[in-house]
Amino acid sequence: MTSAEPLVRVSTVDAVTTLTLDSPHNRNALSSRLMSELHAGLAVAAANRDVRAVVLTHTGKVFCAGADLSEATGADPTVGPRGLVELQKAIVDCTKPVIAVVDGHARAGGLGLIGAADLAIAGPAATFAFTEVRLGLAPAVISLPLRPKLDPRAASRYYLTGEVFDAAEAARIGLLTRAAESTEDTGVVLKGLLDALRQGSPQGLAESKRLANAEVVRSFQRDADELVQLSARLFGSAEAQEGMRAFLEKRAAAWVR
């Protein structure tokens, strides 16, 4: 891969801007560059009055692996979590409806992108997990869009266990709008949603989205700073350093029993 190749591919066809995560070298992890390109793609869609919706999707077998652990250390430990807060908020604040389309693995921060989207569809190859607990971390800043949407009992279970769950379960607990039974069904569901959105006026879509996201917006206003600080503290802790080393070295962390 050369530096000129985008990590997020942007195209606009039939009133829909599609943002495709295409960073296979790190499983579409949330590197600073990928997040910057996602911001730019959202801005392109927002500025185009003819666009009625944004589709956020991916190449390969992974939708998004979460934080880029190679960037997890630095002079200011709040940079990474604050960047993810800003990206999630950009999805929430985008005046166009954003549809996440997932047919691969989504982990940790990747679930934050799905939670920030207005609608979310997943195919049969999709799996999900809040893996933070197994790294000495917690799903801190990604909880900002997720807590208003997830079933509380399910959030407790999957936050605490780090278990992998499928698309049907993700739909049951409120992470997804719809679990598709096949790749073909994913396309059918997406087409139906986009056909409906194309009938909406720009003003109607923007204001209806704002109403639907009222609790999510309040979550950001109330808790963002606190959760950025929590995330930064956890990433800098000895346990998290051990957890990330264990993950990169493909071994069990020291606390595993």
Side-chain angles (χ1 to χ4, degrees), residues 11-18 198:
S11 64
T12 299
V13 178
D14 293 336
V16 176
T17 294
T18 300
R198 288 188 185 96

Side-chain angles (χ1 to χ4, degrees), residues 12 14 16 36 59 64 73 76-77 80 91 118 124 127 132 134-135 143 148 175-176 179 190-191 221 241:
T12 299
D14 293 336
V16 176
S36 176
T59 61
C64 177
T73 58
D76 182 353
I91 294 171
D118 303 286
T127 67
E132 292 90 344
R134 300 186 181 189
L135 297 175
S143 289
L175 179 62
L176 297 178
L190 177 61
K191 182 180 184 302
Q221 293 170 339
Q241 294 302 310

Side-chain angles (χ1 to χ4, degrees), residues 66-105:
D68 186 341
L69 297 183
S70 69
E71 297 182 359
T73 58
D76 182 353
T78 69
V79 168
R82 196 169 298 282
L84 182 51
V85 167
E86 291 170 356
L87 177 57
Q88 292 174 130
K89 195 164 188 304
I91 294 171
V92 172
D93 289 345
C94 181
T95 55
K96 318 293 182 176
V98 177
I99 307 176
V101 180
V102 182
D103 201 22
H105 308 310

Side-chain angles (χ1 to χ4, degrees), residues 96-183:
K96 318 293 182 176
V98 177
I99 307 176
V101 180
V102 182
D103 201 22
H105 308 310
R107 300 290 184 266
L111 278 69
L113 300 185
I114 296 168
D118 303 286
L119 303 166
I121 308 164
T127 67
F128 308 87
F130 294 96
T131 52
E132 292 90 344
V133 70
R134 300 186 181 189
L135 297 175
L137 303 168
V141 297
I142 68 170
S143 289
L144 292 166
L146 285 168
R147 282 190 303 187
K149 297 181 179 183
L150 292 180
D151 171 80
R153 282 294 188 186
S156 293
R157 174 181 177 178
Y158 292 116
Y159 278 21
L160 290 169
T161 66
E163 293 173 275
V164 175
F165 53 98
D166 64 13
E169 177 69 353
R172 185 191 73 80
I173 69 175
L175 179 62
L176 297 178
T177 308
R178 175 79 178 271
E181 295 182 359
S182 67
T183 301

